[in-house]
Amino acid sequence: MAKLLKKPLKLALVQLAAGADKNANLSHARHKVLEAASNGAKLVVLPECFNSPYGVKYFAKYAETLLPSPPTKEQSPSFHALSAMAKEAKAYLVGGSIPEYSSETKKYYNTNLTFGPDGALLATHRKVHLFDIDIPGKITFRESDVLSPGNKVTLVDLPDYGKIGIAICYDIRFPELAMIAARKGAFLLLYPGAFNLTTGQLHWELQARARAMDNQVYVGLCSPARDMEAEYHAWGHSMVVDPIAGVVAEVGEGEEVVYAELRGEKIEETRRGIPIYTQRRFDVYPDVSEGKVRYEE
């Protein structure tokens, strides 16, 4: 059995609230990232829309231009702030997501930027599945009123540790992304996400445990902190789930950091005990990871 995680990794999920002041949000994120690193985290994750309020009417106002890369500081203060945070923390940094504007396509995206400990950009993921829902009497939300979807699966190689899969919030409801990442060797699936009070209660933990169970990998969900004075109320409850689908770390609704030690032995032990990786019947059904998969925009 191939070793997916080369050595133990301390993961930190930073659950924080974002206000209207982008510079204050970036400064606050830096403080929390450095706090996580000082506690030994080598991989730090920020929540979806960590640099701005979450809402359709805010995407265009807070959007930054990321291409051509690297952008100038004027085009994308968040890009440069994240790069500096990663370098200062000497950690891998999955920068939640920020609203992006492409001058080439004239479209807006919900975009993750991931940086290495040297401050270099490792990967970009544009949210593939947009959050368009209508639950009568509960919540109606349509990201597609402003945003356009990304068009690829995002796998990131962390040279010291192994591969991780990155997707954003509503992407978690589509198990194909997780299956592909896991079957291509990811030891961890990360989802910065802002579930609301309706879907959070119903599906947040369920989705995290389901993706872990189906793929026998670690799963991390990083939410914004809940702010009942904001227009959008995030569920919170950032959590880490292990390969046998047990919740190993979780916080409540407020600003807090979730820590978990990830070990390759746990993946191997789980897969030996319940050996689904050798039991799949691709003579009966197709292997989604061997189909027409896009890894580039």
Side-chain angles (χ1 to χ4, degrees):
M1 187 183 295
K3 198 169 183 65
L4 298 181
L5 177 52
K6 298 171 190 173
K7 61 183 180 181
L9 171 63
K10 189 166 186 179
L11 169 67
L13 310 177
V14 178
Q15 182 167 290
L16 51 75
D21 185 332
K22 184 186 286 187
N23 288 332
N25 294 335
L26 294 175
S27 176
H28 187 42
R30 173 183 173 273
H31 172 73
K32 301 303 285 187
V33 167
L34 294 179
E35 176 190 315
S38 72
N39 285 318
K42 295 300 182 185
L43 173 57
V44 183
V45 184
L46 290 168
E48 182 178 24
C49 286
F50 80 93
N51 74 340
S52 60
Y54 180 70
V56 172
K57 72 180 186 182
Y58 298 111
F59 294 139
K61 179 181 177 184
Y62 286 84
E64 301 179 12
T65 300
L66 300 175
L67 295 174
S69 188
T72 65
K73 286 188 178 181
E74 291 71 31
Q75 289 172 318
S76 182
S78 300
F79 178 102
H80 290 275
L82 288 167
S83 173
M85 284 179 220
K87 193 170 184 178
E88 191 175 359
K90 298 181 176 64
Y92 293 98
L93 178 59
V94 176
S97 77
I98 66 169
E100 175 199 358
Y101 174 70
S102 169
S103 55
E104 183 182 344
T105 65
K106 305 291 190 288
K107 293 178 179 178
Y108 294 93
Y109 305 92
N110 187 343
T111 303
N112 164 267
L113 298 166
T114 295
F115 292 87
D118 58 356
L121 179 68
L122 295 179
T124 300
H125 177 80
R126 288 170 171 168
K127 190 174 188 174
V128 173
H129 303 92
L130 298 180
F131 181 46
D132 286 6
I133 67 165
D134 181 12
I135 302 175
K138 298 284 187 179
I139 183 171
T140 298
F141 201 98
R142 288 184 54 83
E143 276 190 325
S144 66
D145 285 349
V146 175
L147 299 179
S148 294
N151 298 303
K152 71 178 180 71
V153 175
T154 301
L155 273 170
V156 188
D157 185 30
L158 311 185
D160 304 324
Y161 300 99
K163 293 178 186 174
I164 63 172
I166 297 174
I168 298 171
C169 197
Y170 202 61
D171 283 339
I172 198 173
R173 292 187 179 274
F174 301 86
E176 294 86 352
L177 288 181
M179 288 180 202
I180 292 164
R183 292 180 199 170
K184 295 301 181 184
F187 67 85
L188 168 67
L189 307 175
L190 289 173
Y191 298 91
F195 271 43
N196 57 76
L197 303 191
T198 300
T199 59
Q201 186 172 22
L202 287 169
H203 299 145
W204 178 256
E205 180 181 329
L206 177 64
Q207 294 276 11
R209 297 181 68 188
R211 298 295 83 78
M213 182 194 72
D214 290 345
N215 300 291
Q216 297 178 323
V217 294
Y218 285 99
V219 173
L221 271 55
C222 187
S223 172
R226 190 180 304 176
D227 179 1
M228 294 307 291
E229 294 181 7
E231 290 178 49
Y232 185 89
H233 304 147
W235 177 240
H237 294 277
S238 296
M239 65 173 60
V240 180
V241 177
D242 70 12
I244 201 140
V247 178
V248 294
E250 179 184 359
V251 294
E253 297 94 37
E255 292 209 338
E256 209 169 334
V257 182
V258 188
Y259 296 98
E261 187 89 8
L262 312 187
R263 296 182 301 105
E265 295 79 14
K266 186 66 178 177
I267 300 172
E268 293 152 21
E269 172 192 308
T270 300
R271 294 185 182 186
R272 278 195 302 269
I274 307 174
I276 60 174
Y277 274 77
T278 59
Q279 295 172 329
R280 289 192 173 100
R281 293 287 309 277
F282 295 134
D283 59 324
V284 176
Y285 45 80
D287 179 356
V288 67
S289 71
E290 295 301 327
K292 187 180 176 184
V293 181
R294 290 180 63 165
Y295 297 101
E296 301 291 337
E297 285 285 343

